[in-house]
Amino acid sequence: MSLRDPKLQLFHERPDMNPPSLAFSSREFLRMVESFGLSGNWGWNFTRKEYLWSSGLYRLFGIEDGSVRPDYELFRSLVHPEDRAMLEDASQILNEGILSDHTFRVIRPDGTMRMVLSRGDVYFTPEGRPAGAAGVIVDITGEQRVSLAIRAQNDRQRAIFEHGMIIPWVWTVEGEAVHAPGWCELTGLPPEELQRNWSLPIVPEERAEVLRQHAAMRERRQPFTLDFTAQVARGGRTAFRTLVVPVLTGTDGIREWTGLTFPPTAAIGETAPEIGTDVQHQIRGAHLRAARGLLDWTLADLAGASKLSLSTIRRLEEDADGPLARSRHAAVDALRQAGVGFRLIEGSIAVAHLR
């Protein structure tokens, strides 16, 4: 495009269209951001006793802009009573300059509730006295709802897993596993290994055939089941059955595959039993390492929790010979108190995080 181009001539000839005039001012930018109704800011001049809300903050609180004279106590009155205690009172801010970040609930005058994040700063005079404060409040209700929904779903899956060692799965169209909560705990393998190869726990003599069937069944685009044997926490072999079904898109295409893996002999209503002290000797070093991994504990962490020496813990995890029965009981008890369960499935021991 040449300098004689009519569009460029118009741009240069009109003084109101030069680059500086096209940039937002900070106030205009703030007004644009707050127009979404998800944020607002406030300012407080201690000397002049002025407390101001932006239009966005009025909107976030569900109050008509300028209909009330804001002050800190009005703000506190909008906070859910259970959350109000976490906020600083006015004297802490005015006299001590204390103002922390908080996440709390706000109840609007119409009764609706929002979850908000508050961040602010106190400004000081050269002599070190608090002179004013300013901050921003952001509505995170949507994010909080998503977080709570995910947490609730995880809790449901955890309850099902703990009850019958039932594991939900999600595979991509190509057959790559992307979601299998509980598979790491059941097999005792680290997540990075299972992410590279979800079929790794399947016993070697069955693995190739299971993968072949898995691929062939996906080609048929119909629900299917697979039976296989897997190594459980490196402590034994257990039979499993997997039900796999396609998740369709609106155009009858397949978006992904989902399913459940479970012991085929598990009875609904019966929980896999926690092992008793009479068979606690069956817990091997691999089970202890898997349990530590679930808790993200080091050897030293387990030693401290069980009041055993580091060398004793190391010997237990290496299945060293010697009179270690009492020490094994102490280590297992410490892991159980931290939320780890050891359960029997068809004679094999599975390790699960129960909290």
Side-chain angles (χ1 to χ4, degrees):
M1 185 179 292
S2 70
L3 290 176
R4 302 301 301 171
D5 187 283
K7 293 180 180 178
L8 281 180
Q9 283 184 305
L10 178 63
F11 183 88
H12 287 287
E13 289 170 3
R14 288 184 57 182
D16 61 327
M17 291 189 66
N18 56 49
S21 70
L22 294 178
F24 282 113
S25 70
S26 59
R27 181 171 296 181
E28 290 169 338
F29 183 77
L30 184 62
R31 186 180 299 115
M32 181 183 69
V33 170
E34 290 192 355
S35 68
F36 291 99
L38 298 177
S39 64
N41 67 91
W42 57 271
W44 192 356
N45 186 304
F46 299 162
T47 304
R48 296 199 297 266
K49 298 182 180 180
E50 291 179 350
Y51 189 86
L52 303 174
W53 287 352
S54 68
S55 297
L57 196 55
Y58 277 103
R59 190 180 300 113
L60 193 156
F61 288 159
I63 300 174
E64 184 180 350
D65 191 353
S67 61
V68 296
R69 182 174 181 176
D71 58 41
Y72 189 68
E73 292 310 313
L74 173 61
F75 159 68
R76 283 178 58 90
S77 72
L78 295 170
V79 177
H80 192 289
E82 294 178 1
D83 298 342
R84 205 171 293 159
M86 75 172 67
L87 302 181
E88 296 80 9
D89 58 40
S91 65
Q92 288 178 296
I93 302 174
L94 290 167
N95 301 323
E96 303 174 47
I98 298 174
L99 182 61
S100 303
D101 299 340
H102 298 289
T103 300
F104 52 88
R105 293 164 290 179
V106 166
I107 301 178
R108 292 170 166 174
D110 64 2
T112 58
M113 187 166 65
R114 312 299 292 177
M115 180 68 72
V116 301
L117 171 66
S118 173
R119 290 186 174 175
D121 284 309
V122 176
Y123 303 96
F124 296 85
T125 67
E127 295 76 26
R129 293 192 302 272
V136 62
I137 295 179
V138 180
D139 189 332
I140 59 171
T141 306
E143 178 184 338
Q144 187 74 6
R145 285 174 178 168
V146 170
S147 177
L148 290 174
I150 293 174
R151 187 183 308 167
Q153 178 64 11
N154 289 340
D155 290 343
R156 297 184 195 107
Q157 294 178 349
R158 165 62 54 186
I160 292 173
F161 174 70
E162 292 174 4
H163 178 79
M165 297 301 165
I166 300 172
I167 301 166
W169 286 83
V170 176
W171 290 273
T172 65
V173 176
E174 293 76 21
E176 178 185 355
V178 294
H179 180 68
W183 194 230
C184 294
E185 300 178 26
L186 193 63
T187 62
L189 295 177
E192 55 272 16
E193 289 189 25
L194 292 176
Q195 189 172 15
R196 288 192 297 266
N197 184 0
W198 65 268
S199 64
L200 195 60
I202 299 175
V203 295
E205 60 268 28
E206 296 181 14
R207 191 178 304 141
E209 178 61 18
V210 170
L211 289 174
R212 186 194 68 77
Q213 291 183 33
H214 195 269
M217 293 292 189
R218 292 201 319 272
E219 289 294 324
R220 294 173 57 183
R221 302 166 61 86
Q222 296 293 326
F224 62 90
T225 60
L226 287 174
D227 291 323
F228 60 87
T229 307
Q231 295 175 329
V232 180
R234 301 190 185 100
R237 295 185 169 198
T238 300
F240 287 99
R241 176 168 296 155
T242 295
L243 168 67
V244 185
V245 297
V247 180
L248 303 178
T249 65
T251 57
D252 292 332
I254 295 178
R255 185 178 70 221
E256 61 191 15
W257 294 82
T258 187
L260 295 173
T261 292
F262 50 91
T265 57
I268 300 300
E270 294 182 4
T271 301
E274 179 81 7
I275 68 171
T277 56
D278 56 328
V279 292
Q280 198 159 280
H281 63 277
Q282 296 180 18
I283 295 177
R284 311 309 303 164
H287 301 117
L288 297 179
R289 288 194 297 272
R292 276 201 303 108
L294 296 177
L295 297 172
D296 197 24
W297 276 12
T298 64
L299 284 168
D301 291 330
L302 180 52
S306 60
K307 295 182 172 55
L308 298 172
S309 68
L310 194 60
S311 61
T312 299
I313 296 297
R314 187 175 289 109
R315 290 177 63 203
L316 285 171
E317 293 199 359
E318 293 173 353
D319 292 323
D321 296 330
L324 296 174
R326 184 173 298 177
S327 297
R328 182 181 292 107
H329 286 312
V332 171
D333 288 344
L335 291 166
R336 279 176 165 156
Q337 290 178 15
V340 172
F342 299 88
R343 299 186 180 238
L344 279 174
I345 300 179
E346 296 187 351
S348 298
I349 296 175
V351 184
H353 195 178
L354 304 181
R355 294 180 187 171

